[in-house]
Amino acid sequence: MERLLNGLTLFSALGSGLIAGLFFAFSTFVMTALTRIPASQGIAAMQSINITILNPLFGLVFAGTALASVVLTIVSFLRWGEAGASYLLAGSLLYLIGSFLVTMVFNVPLNDALAAVDPSSAQGADLWTRYTASWTAWNHVRTVASLASLLSFILAYRHWG
């Protein structure tokens, strides 16, 4: 059982770190680059990104880390009196709420709205302005939450690893 706990904690640390890096890239330069080109090209590029990111490897890291975080949340309550349990709970909730839930509630609906527009239309250009501001703001939240999750999982792993 200890090996499973250590493995899930390590997997979650790695997963949240990979996701944090992805979100960090979008927050620090990808979205800025996409807003510097004509709206139709930015929309088309983001539409393509939103399609190609839905692949098994990304799914394993993004959803797998969420699933592991659910398990680790339960484990943290079962081991609440032990050192590291609070870090395990914090890492799990930060990832589940700040990364996974924010993605599903805010970023995915924005992506769906963007997918429905013609990149060369006036409607598309209007949406693009609102999309980039809102999507990027929520992406900043996901970046910080994923980094904090990574740190919490590292601290938990130090106690049990």
Side-chain angles (χ1 to χ4, degrees):
M1 190 58 145
E2 291 303 311
R3 290 182 70 173
L4 179 61
L5 175 61
N6 290 340
L8 282 176
T9 305
L10 181 59
F11 173 81
S12 296
L14 293 171
S16 59
L18 285 168
I19 294 301
L22 173 71
F23 294 158
F24 180 79
F26 273 85
S27 282
T28 58
F29 63 88
V30 172
M31 293 308 288
T32 301
L34 293 178
T35 61
R36 289 185 177 175
I37 58 178
S40 61
Q41 293 174 13
I43 293 167
M46 194 65 180
Q47 287 173 333
S48 181
I49 290 168
N50 289 335
I51 291 168
T52 57
I53 199 165
L54 299 176
N55 65 69
L57 186 55
F58 174 77
L60 173 68
V61 174
F62 184 66
T65 303
L67 181 60
S69 293
V70 169
V71 172
L72 292 174
T73 297
I74 295 166
V75 169
S76 71
F77 284 117
L78 295 174
R79 297 182 138 194
W80 188 249
E82 297 179 30
S86 59
Y87 292 125
L88 197 61
L89 179 62
S92 297
L93 293 179
L94 283 162
Y95 187 83
L96 287 169
I97 296 168
S99 180
F100 192 81
L101 188 63
V102 166
T103 298
M104 296 300 127
V105 172
F106 298 105
N107 295 86
V108 168
L110 290 166
N111 291 344
D112 291 344
L114 189 68
V117 300
D118 176 359
S120 60
S121 69
Q123 177 191 10
D126 290 341
L127 176 65
W128 182 242
T129 301
R130 292 188 312 277
Y131 173 91
T132 56
S134 183
W135 192 97
T136 304
W138 285 113
N139 193 65
H140 293 335
V141 171
R142 299 187 305 171
T143 302
V144 171
S146 296
L147 285 170
S149 176
L150 169 61
L151 177 60
S152 296
F153 284 132
I154 289 170
L155 293 172
Y157 189 78
R158 285 186 59 212
H159 288 283
W160 290 324

